[in-house]
Amino acid sequence: ESYRTKRLDGSGFSLIELVGVIAMVAIISAIAIPNMIGWRGERQLRGAVNNLLGNLQLARMQAIREAETVSILFAAGNPATYSIFVDPNKNGSQDAGERTLRDVTLPRGVAIQAASFSGGVAWMNYNTKGMPDKFGSVTMRNSAGTQLKLVVNKIGRLRIE
């Protein structure tokens, strides 16, 4: 049989069937893609906050292990960052010669909305016993406006709200 004979006997897809399938795929995509984009932004935000929680625990353990004051300094720029460093003079500012433990840049689309600790500062210290000298919170938000807050209480417990 020739190719022409096979096509004439009704095998294959008609143009209407093909357009119908493309239309269904387009409709499903229009519904699913915005949800997937929102999900990605929330995952980035949650990941950044969980990463901060782990880094604060690291700073606390490092302060105890090295019997040194460890500071965490937040910068709400674009991109937002925070630094963890050994801070023997306890001033919350990284001076020359103070060793950096971590420099973290938040993922694109995640920002520090507020870092506020007692005294109205954007930094905190862990002392040699692992206790914070300040309490407060860091609020992060994603580009969709969703917010999560990491709270540090007076005895150093961390919780995400």
Side-chain angles (χ1 to χ4, degrees):
E1 289 182 43
S2 73
Y3 175 75
R4 178 180 278 179
T5 309
K6 283 187 176 181
R7 292 294 295 156
L8 294 176
D9 71 359
S11 64
F13 299 106
S14 71
L15 182 60
I16 293 174
E17 291 170 328
L18 188 60
V19 169
V21 169
I22 290 172
M24 284 190 290
V25 168
I27 291 169
I28 292 169
S29 296
I31 294 169
I33 288 175
N35 291 331
M36 290 174 58
I37 291 170
W39 174 79
R40 181 175 177 226
E42 281 195 37
R43 295 306 318 152
Q44 282 182 319
L45 176 62
R46 182 150 307 274
V49 171
N50 284 330
N51 195 18
L52 173 59
L53 186 138
N55 283 328
L56 289 178
Q57 291 171 335
L58 169 88
R60 184 178 197 176
M61 297 314 301
Q62 199 76 17
I64 295 168
R65 182 180 311 123
E66 295 189 12
E68 292 265 25
T69 299
V70 174
S71 289
I72 302 93
L73 174 63
F74 298 92
N78 187 11
T81 63
Y82 60 92
S83 296
I84 302 171
F85 55 95
V86 176
D87 192 15
N89 61 6
K90 305 172 187 170
N91 67 353
S93 176
Q94 190 168 14
D95 304 315
E98 293 180 342
R99 186 167 44 98
T100 301
L101 301 174
R102 293 262 164 100
D103 268 332
V104 178
T105 301
L106 298 182
R108 187 166 45 194
V110 177
I112 295 174
Q113 182 169 339
S116 180
F117 293 91
S118 50
V121 296
W123 58 275
M124 62 170 285
N125 296 328
Y126 281 111
N127 67 23
T128 58
K129 294 180 177 145
M131 297 299 290
D133 66 340
K134 297 170 180 48
F135 59 93
S137 65
V138 178
T139 303
M140 293 186 188
R141 67 174 163 70
N142 64 13
S143 53
T146 304
Q147 297 180 1
L148 285 175
K149 183 188 290 188
L150 179 67
V151 178
V152 181
N153 72 12
K154 290 181 183 182
I155 60 170
R157 286 221 172 107
L158 304 170
R159 76 176 184 276
I160 297 173
E161 296 179 346

